[in-house]
């Protein structure tokens, strides 16, 4: 099966959202990629999001998949949690509800700050 979308295209949409300081729902991102929302498409999108985040990590950038959220509660779906997005930050709390929402907003704020500072060039500059 071919990929739902080019990871670079997905990344571009997410970087744009980060610079704007906003999250996107799964449906919004799928629509930007030219698809109507369906569970199979969402699952395919999640696989691409994993590629996008692995690439971001290799570049020394914060994760972007945390910006893709469910419409009903503004929190990423189970795939983000299972992939270790929270565990890698020492979060062991629930995956939904107020505690999860507060955690997600904090992680998103880090991503927003990175991409809004110096137009996201922080990772491209040499240290010191």
């Amino acid at each position: 099966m071919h990929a739902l979308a080019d990871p670079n295209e997905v990344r571009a949409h997410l970087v744009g959202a980060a610079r704007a300081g906003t999250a996107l729902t799964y449906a919004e991102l799928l629509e930007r990629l030219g698809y109507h929302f369906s569970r199979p498409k969402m699952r395919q999108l999640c696989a691409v999001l994993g590629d996008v985040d692995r690439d971001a990590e290799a570049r020394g950038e914060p994760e972007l998949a945390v910006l893709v959220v469910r419409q009903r509660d503004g929190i990423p779906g189970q795939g983000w949690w299972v992939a270790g997005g929270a565990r890698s930050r020492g979060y062991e709390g629930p995956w939904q509800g107020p505690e999860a929402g507060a955690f997600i907003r904090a992680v998103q704020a880090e991503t927003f700050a990175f991409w809004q500072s110096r137009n996201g060039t922080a990772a491209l500059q040499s240290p010191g």
Side-chain angles (χ1 to χ4, degrees), residues 90-115:
Y91 178 82
E92 299 289 339
W95 294 0
Q96 54 192 4
E99 188 178 346
F103 172 74
I104 292 302
R105 284 188 298 278
V107 176
Q108 290 173 340
E110 292 176 19
T111 299
F112 296 155
F114 175 86
W115 287 105

Side-chain angles (χ1 to χ4, degrees), residues 16-57:
R19 286 187 172 139
T22 188
L24 297 173
T25 66
Y26 291 96
E28 287 170 332
L29 183 52
L30 283 168
E31 184 177 305
R32 290 179 183 201
L33 296 169
Y35 297 101
H36 292 291
F37 178 87
S38 70
R39 292 220 177 267
K41 292 284 186 235
M42 185 182 72
R43 282 191 289 276
Q44 289 178 286
L45 176 60
C46 290
V48 177
L49 291 172
D51 292 339
V52 169
D53 271 358
R54 280 186 289 281
D55 182 53
E57 183 178 11

Side-chain angles (χ1 to χ4, degrees), residues 72-126:
R72 69 179 151 91
D73 62 6
I75 295 174
Q78 179 179 348
W80 183 84
W81 301 92
V82 170
R87 211 173 21 246
S88 68
R89 295 169 171 274
Y91 178 82
E92 299 289 339
W95 294 0
Q96 54 192 4
E99 188 178 346
F103 172 74
I104 292 302
R105 284 188 298 278
V107 176
Q108 290 173 340
E110 292 176 19
T111 299
F112 296 155
F114 175 86
W115 287 105
Q116 291 168 354
S117 70
R118 295 185 300 265
N119 294 321
T121 59
L124 305 177
Q125 298 174 354
S126 56

